[in-house]
Amino acid sequence: MLRFAQIEFLWGLVLIPLFIILYLVVRRWKRKALKSLGDRETVGKIIPEVSFSRPGIKFVFFLIAFAALVIGLSDPQIGTKMEEAKKSGSDLIVLLDVSNSMLAGDLAPNRLENAKRAISQMIDNLHNDRIGIVIFAGEAYVQLPITTDHSAAKLFLDNINTNIVPTQGTAIGAAIDMGLKTFDLVSGTSKAMILMTDGENHEDDAVQAAERARKKGVTIHVVGLGSTEGAPVPIYKNGSPVGFHLDEAGKTVVSKLNEDMGKEIAAAGNGVYVRASNANSGLPLVMSQVDKMQKNTYESKAFKNYEDRFQFFLALCFVLLIIEFFISSRKNLKLSEVNLFEVRKP
């Protein structure tokens, strides 16, 4: 299979027709100039060293050399070499809270967007670690299965919002159980979950779920999003805030970070708890713990690797230019006098 690593350089081939047109124009002008001196035989006697064919030969060599240079710069590659790739890393699943309380503005611009920005930066710093994303509110859903495609992870992350889950609430335990199902528990890779939530769990026993995960060899780290003072939860309509959520008494609902819940889940999951802020997402500390985990080989596969072939075209260009340089535009009168096939009369 052939491909070009720098395919944009192939646009240089467009210059070849322009060179041909320019050469023909100059050649026609020269012939008119010589014709003004007389016919071809007369010009040959007046200027015997003039060659009518050698400039054309030199031009052909130049064109081929230029085409070889352009192709060489485009770096042609052939996929003929087989290599084996082995990667070592950990499996990570981000459990991201998408309940309405994550729209509170005590983290700029809000808790959810602050978390998404931090996750995106974390993905940029991943190496061979695989990553998956589970979102949850009243129920938990797999947004992205475990993958090594970090670009896809960022694409899926961008599409996350509070409307993506139909049932509101905060079911942290369900999210942890969903994360366990997403993991390949048979492979020997180190596994961890990163729970990012404001800790307002109303649906299930998240601590027991964290204990179940720990028993299966999965560590759970918790990043608390929000402030203990709390902030009102805005209501959006057509992308614009139109008010705040109210309780049954008609008072504005204030969502507060439940740090005690986050610390309990982290302790039960044998992980660390860190509180996010506008200046520090908390994920660097979590990732430092993940980096301490044992890295095991999780993938081994054969694939085609492309080999560069630009050297041949650049070498051809160099040789042709040397030949073109040594081809004189004028006749060699001494050589033209030599006639190897002349028949001498006795």
Side-chain angles (χ1 to χ4, degrees):
M1 182 178 178
L2 176 66
R3 74 172 187 180
F4 295 91
Q6 305 292 336
I7 196 170
E8 62 273 10
F9 281 100
L10 290 179
W11 283 104
L13 296 176
V14 176
L15 295 175
I16 291 180
L18 298 179
F19 289 152
I20 294 175
I21 294 173
L22 181 61
Y23 170 76
L24 293 176
V25 170
V26 173
R27 182 183 178 185
R28 184 178 180 183
W29 173 78
K30 286 185 175 180
R31 287 197 171 188
K32 282 186 176 182
L34 290 173
K35 193 174 182 180
S36 64
L37 299 177
D39 57 26
R40 185 166 182 172
E41 184 178 349
T42 303
V43 172
K45 292 179 180 180
I46 299 174
I47 316 176
E49 70 275 13
V50 170
S51 174
F52 294 96
S53 59
R54 292 191 180 190
I57 296 174
K58 287 172 62 69
F59 179 70
V60 170
F61 274 92
F62 167 78
L63 279 186
I64 299 175
F66 178 79
L69 175 63
V70 171
I71 295 174
L73 292 176
S74 66
D75 193 7
Q77 299 176 329
I78 300 178
T80 56
K81 184 179 178 182
M82 299 297 292
E83 290 186 352
E84 189 175 272
K86 294 182 178 180
K87 296 182 179 180
S88 297
S90 302
D91 285 351
L92 301 175
I93 290 183
V94 176
L95 310 178
L96 181 58
D97 190 347
V98 293
S99 60
N100 284 333
S101 61
M102 292 290 287
L103 295 176
D106 44 7
L107 290 181
N110 57 54
R111 297 172 184 175
L112 180 58
E113 291 302 320
N114 186 283
K116 287 171 60 177
R117 183 174 56 206
I119 296 170
S120 179
Q121 293 172 352
M122 179 191 73
I123 293 174
D124 288 336
N125 293 322
L126 292 178
H127 298 290
N128 291 328
D129 298 313
R130 298 190 292 186
I131 188 170
I133 300 176
V134 171
I135 57 174
F136 67 94
E139 298 177 0
Y141 300 89
V142 177
Q143 175 74 357
L144 176 71
I146 288 285
T147 181
T148 57
D149 190 344
H150 297 159
S151 296
K154 295 186 70 171
L155 181 63
F156 277 86
L157 179 66
D158 288 340
N159 293 324
I160 293 176
N161 56 65
T162 56
N163 298 321
I164 203 168
V165 176
T167 306
Q168 279 299 314
T170 311
I172 298 177
I176 295 174
D177 290 336
M178 182 63 71
L180 284 176
K181 294 178 182 178
T182 305
F183 276 128
D184 177 11
L185 296 175
V186 178
S187 67
T189 55
S190 301
K191 297 172 176 60
M193 295 186 199
I194 302 176
L195 172 63
M196 304 189 73
T197 180
D198 52 24
E200 291 189 340
N201 188 64
H202 308 295
E203 311 297 330
D204 48 28
D205 194 332
V207 176
Q208 286 188 1
E211 291 175 349
R212 289 194 295 270
R214 185 197 65 211
K215 291 177 181 178
K216 293 184 177 182
V218 179
T219 303
I220 299 180
H221 304 291
V222 181
V223 176
L225 300 166
S227 63
T228 54
E229 297 80 13
V233 180
I235 299 175
Y236 286 88
K237 186 175 182 180
N238 297 326
S240 301
V242 294
F244 297 97
H245 283 275
L246 305 176
D247 59 16
E248 296 179 353
K251 295 183 179 180
T252 300
V253 175
V254 176
S255 174
K256 299 180 180 180
L257 169 64
N258 188 345
E259 282 200 296
D260 292 336
M261 173 63 71
K263 292 176 180 178
E264 288 180 22
I265 295 173
N270 198 30
V272 297
Y273 171 83
V274 59
R275 176 178 167 183
S277 66
N278 288 319
N280 183 11
S281 68
L283 283 179
L285 174 61
V286 171
M287 290 307 299
S288 68
Q289 297 298 315
V290 172
D291 290 338
K292 294 177 183 179
M293 299 170 66
Q294 183 178 357
K295 308 293 183 179
N296 298 318
T297 300
Y298 62 82
E299 184 178 23
S300 178
K301 65 178 181 179
F303 66 97
K304 284 188 176 182
N305 187 34
Y306 289 91
E307 290 184 336
D308 294 322
R309 290 289 185 265
F310 68 90
Q311 305 94 331
F312 301 104
F313 292 94
L314 295 184
L316 176 62
C317 172
F318 180 71
V319 171
L320 291 174
L321 288 178
I322 291 178
I323 296 174
E324 189 271 343
F325 176 78
F326 282 103
I327 296 177
S328 174
S329 298
R330 298 175 178 272
K331 292 180 181 178
N332 189 315
L333 296 180
K334 292 184 178 180
L335 289 178
S336 64
E337 293 174 357
V338 177
N339 190 348
L340 297 178
F341 301 100
E342 180 181 3
V343 179
R344 297 179 179 272
K345 295 182 179 181

